[in-house]
Amino acid sequence: MVNVRPHRLYAKGRVTGHTRGKRNTKCTTSLLEIEGSKTTADAEFYLGKRVAYVYRASRVIDGSRIRVIWGRVTRSHGNSGAVRAKFANNLPSKAYGAQVRIMLYPSRV
């Protein structure tokens, strides 16, 4: 029997905050740092990809405490491979520094 390793179908990322000016934050757009993305050319691959913020809640709904807020990568941000993403519901502030999953679909190839 061949030992097969499971494959991860998403890239790991972190929420670094919201887009902001000097004083005002715009919570409708979140900034994400993607593992392995170091330049704007690397970040272009992830444009249009789906993003999942998975978290645990205290109340059980349908037998599970796990919830997901879905979003989409909209454009790159800066020169260091960071991206901007918009979520269906704005991310809460407790999500700063939390891990997100950048799904490898839909494909633009």
Side-chain angles (χ1 to χ4, degrees), residues 12-102:
K12 293 180 180 181
R14 292 222 174 261
V15 179
T16 56
H18 295 305
T19 54
R20 52 172 297 159
K22 188 174 182 180
R23 294 174 183 86
N24 298 329
T25 61
K26 300 180 178 91
C27 58
T28 56
T29 305
S30 299
L31 301 177
L32 309 177
E33 189 179 279
I34 302 172
E35 196 175 86
S37 176
K38 299 294 180 200
T39 64
T40 51
D42 295 340
E44 275 186 29
F45 170 78
Y46 295 101
L47 300 185
K49 300 284 192 262
R50 301 282 309 262
V51 183
Y53 168 63
V54 182
Y55 64 101
R56 286 185 176 81
S58 57
R59 194 162 58 99
V60 175
I61 294 179
D62 293 333
S64 175
R65 286 191 165 94
I66 296 175
R67 311 261 203 285
V68 181
I69 299 177
W70 286 97
R72 191 174 295 274
V73 175
T74 56
R75 57 179 288 188
S76 62
H77 179 82
N79 295 317
S80 298
V83 295
R84 300 181 196 180
K86 284 186 175 272
F87 286 83
N89 297 327
N90 296 340
L91 290 184
S93 54
K94 74 172 187 176
Y96 286 2
Q99 197 172 47
V100 292
R101 300 175 180 183
I102 296 96

